Amino acid sequence: MRISQLAERTDVPVHTLKYYLREGLLMPGVATSRTRAEYDEDHVRRVHLLRALVEHAGVGIDGARRVVAALEDPPGTRAELLGVAQRTVPATGGDAEVSDEVRELVADLGWTVEPDGPWMRSLTATVGAARAAGLHLEHRRLVEYAHAARDVAEVDLDLTEDAEDAAAAVRTVVLGTALLDPVLIALRRVAQEAVSRER
Amino acid sequence: MRISQLAERTDVPVHTLKYYLREGLLMPGVATSRTRAEYDEDHVRRVHLLRALVEHAGVGIDGARRVVAALEDPPGTRAELLGVAQRTVPATGGDAEVSDEVRELVADLGWTVEPDGPWMRSLTATVGAARAAGLHLEHRRLVEYAHAARDVAEVDLDLTEDAEDAAAAVRTVVLGTALLDPVLIALRRVAQEAVSRER
DNA sequence: CATGATGGAGAGTGGCACTATCCGATGTCA
DNA sequence: TGACATCGGATAGTGCCACTCTCCATCATG
C-alpha cells in the first residue's frame, strides 16, 4: 500500500504521516523505487498506536518515541517490565519530597515500593495540589481509593501473565500503562453517574 | 497583601497573576487606590486551584474558567451536582457512536446511565483506540476495571454527602472530578509496583 | 523628591503538533 | 509518448496555548 492509501486507512493526513516518518515514529516502508514505498498492516497498527498515544493518552511526540523504542527493544526479565513501562510514560508534578502521609499510606496498606520513586513523588504532588486547591480530602478516602487502585493493578498484572512471549508482554504492559488511563477515567465518570442515580 | 506578595505566597510570577486577572480567572483585589489592590487568603486558594487545574488536571484555561464559574454559581439540587461537574471537565475523544460492547458492559453491570452520554462515547473511543493500537483487551478485563471504577465512584459520592452546605458540595464534586484523576493515576502506578513485587 | 511597585493593556515568546510548499524523480493513463 | 498526478525528502510556516514581556502613567514609601 502506498502512503496515500495508508493515510486513507488510518484517517491521518499524508503530511502527518510524513512528519511521523521524519521523526522516526513510523518505520519507513519498503522502497520500490526512489519515489515509491510500500506500507503494510504493521504500519497501520503503528499509526493507530501513535494516534492513540498522542490523542488519548496525551503523552506527546517524545513519549510516543519512548513507547516505540520500548516496543522494539528486547524486553529483559519480566520483573523489570513494569519499570520500562513506567519510565516510558514519566510521572508529572515535579520531584518534590515524598510526604509523610503518603509514606504512611503505603505502609498501612502493606505495599512494598521504592520509597522515593517518581510516582510516590507524583502522588504527593497531586494530593497536595488537590488539598491546596480547597478540596477536603480525608486520609480515609485516600485509603479507599488506594484499595480500588490496587484492584486495578491486579488486573493490569494479570494481563501480562497471559502474554505468550516477551514481546507480547512488553506490548501489553507498555500500552496498558499508557492507554488504559483514559479508559479508567471514562469508566469512573460513567460509574459516578450510575451510583448517583441509585442514591 | 499586594500582588507581589501573592506571587511569593503562591510561587506564581506576578505577570501570570495579571494574566489570570485579565482572563477573569482570579477575582480582582480590593482597590485601595488607583494603583494598589489588596489580596487575601481567598485569592491564595484561588491561585492554588488554578495551578492545580492547569498543571495537574490539564484542563486548560477554558476548563479552569468553567470550574470557577461552577464554583460561583448557585448549585441547584444535589442530583444535578454531578452533571455540572462532568460538564465542567468535558469528555474527550469526539462524539463517536456508542459501541454495542460498551452498552452491554453497563447493562451487565446493572448500571443505569444516559445511553449516549458524552462519557459513554468517550469510553467507546478510548477502548477502541487501545484495541486499534494493538492492546489485547478482553471484555472480562473491562468488567473488572468497571468494578474498580464503581468502587471509586462510591467514594466520590460519599465525599459529597459530607458536605455541609450546597457551596461545599459543589466544590467537592467539581474539584473531586477534576483533581482526583491524577491522584488515581499515581495510585495506580504505585499499586502496580507493589503488586509486581509481591508476585 | 527619588525610587520602585502597581494596574492595565497590548504585543511578543516558546513549545508543540502538525501543515503547507517546493523540488526533482517517477509512476500512470490517454 | 506526453500530460499529469503522486511520491519521498527537506524546509519552512501555521495555529494554538499558556504564559511572559514591554510600556506607561500613577502612586506609595523611605
Side-chain angles (χ1 to χ4, degrees):
Chain A
M1 129 182 42
R2 292 198 272 278
I3 196 172
S4 57
Q5 297 171 285
L6 181 59
E8 237 172 275
R9 276 284 300 274
T10 57
D11 204 34
V12 171
V14 173
H15 281 322
T16 304
L17 295 179
K18 287 188 175 187
Y19 169 67
Y20 291 157
L21 284 166
R22 243 177 300 149
E23 295 293 319
L25 298 172
L26 180 61
M27 52 284 197
V30 179
T32 58
S33 83
R34 207 186 307 179
T35 65
R36 287 289 145 106
E38 194 64 19
Y39 302 90
D40 59 22
E41 294 304 313
D42 279 346
H43 293 91
V44 174
R45 257 191 302 279
R46 172 62 61 85
V47 173
H48 280 143
L49 169 61
L50 296 174
R51 295 308 304 156
L53 288 171
V54 170
E55 194 171 325
H56 295 283
V59 302
I61 292 300
D62 263 22
R65 209 192 315 278
R66 275 193 298 275
V67 171
V68 165
L71 291 183
E72 285 171 353
D73 218 33
T77 78
R78 181 153 299 208
E80 51 179 311
L81 275 183
L82 247 192
V84 173
Q86 295 201 354
R87 252 170 279 129
T88 296
V89 183
T92 57
D95 49 0
E97 280 291 303
V98 176
S99 70
D100 289 341
E101 179 187 17
V102 167
R103 277 188 217 287
E104 280 171 33
L105 177 67
V106 297
D108 291 350
L109 292 163
W111 294 1
T112 308
V113 296
E114 184 68 42
D116 297 300
W119 286 102
M120 288 290 279
R121 296 171 191 273
S122 177
L123 185 54
T124 300
T126 52
V127 169
R131 292 234 179 85
L135 183 67
H136 183 59
L137 178 64
E138 294 165 22
H139 185 79
R140 197 163 49 80
R141 306 290 183 182
L142 219 42
V143 174
E144 298 187 59
Y145 284 132
H147 284 304
R150 196 201 154 86
D151 291 341
V152 169
E154 297 273 5
V155 179
D156 289 335
L157 273 289
D158 285 348
L159 272 175
T160 73
E161 315 245 317
D162 299 352
E164 289 134 26
D165 55 10
V170 181
R171 201 175 60 226
T172 300
V173 176
V174 172
L175 300 188
T177 299
L179 296 179
L180 293 181
D181 281 341
V183 171
L184 292 169
I185 288 174
L187 275 173
R188 180 183 172 214
R189 297 286 194 278
V190 174
Q192 282 175 339
E193 186 189 341
V195 173
S196 174
R197 289 196 185 212
E198 284 174 22
R199 297 191 176 180
Chain B
M1 161 183 5
R2 293 199 276 276
I3 197 171
S4 56
Q5 296 172 285
L6 181 60
E8 236 172 274
R9 276 283 300 277
T10 57
D11 203 37
V12 171
V14 173
H15 280 324
T16 304
L17 295 179
K18 286 187 175 188
Y19 168 68
Y20 291 158
L21 284 167
R22 242 178 301 155
E23 295 293 318
L25 299 172
L26 180 61
M27 52 283 196
V30 179
T32 59
S33 82
R34 208 186 309 178
T35 65
R36 287 291 145 105
E38 195 63 19
Y39 301 91
D40 58 22
E41 293 304 313
D42 280 346
H43 293 92
V44 174
R45 257 191 302 280
R46 172 62 61 84
V47 173
H48 280 142
L49 169 61
L50 296 174
R51 297 307 306 153
L53 288 171
V54 170
E55 194 172 325
H56 296 283
V59 303
I61 292 299
D62 261 24
R65 208 192 314 277
R66 274 193 299 275
V67 171
V68 165
L71 291 183
E72 285 171 353
D73 220 34
T77 79
R78 181 152 300 205
E80 51 178 310
L81 277 182
L82 248 191
V84 172
Q86 294 201 354
R87 251 169 280 130
T88 296
V89 183
T92 57
D95 49 359
E97 280 292 301
V98 176
S99 71
D100 290 341
E101 178 187 17
V102 168
R103 276 188 218 286
E104 280 172 32
L105 177 67
V106 298
D108 290 350
L109 291 163
W111 293 1
T112 308
V113 296
E114 183 68 41
D116 297 299
W119 286 101
M120 288 289 280
R121 296 170 190 273
S122 177
L123 184 54
T124 300
T126 52
V127 169
R131 292 234 179 83
L135 182 69
H136 183 59
L137 178 64
E138 295 164 22
H139 185 78
R140 197 164 48 81
R141 307 288 184 183
L142 219 42
V143 173
E144 298 188 57
Y145 284 132
H147 283 305
R150 196 201 155 85
D151 292 343
V152 170
E154 298 272 5
V155 180
D156 289 335
L157 274 288
D158 285 349
L159 273 174
T160 73
E161 315 244 317
D162 299 353
E164 289 135 25
D165 54 11
V170 180
R171 202 175 60 226
T172 300
V173 176
V174 172
L175 300 188
T177 300
L179 296 179
L180 293 181
D181 281 340
V183 171
L184 293 169
I185 288 173
L187 275 172
R188 178 183 173 214
R189 298 287 195 278
V190 175
Q192 283 174 339
E193 186 188 342
V195 173
S196 174
R197 291 199 184 209
E198 284 174 23
R199 297 191 177 179

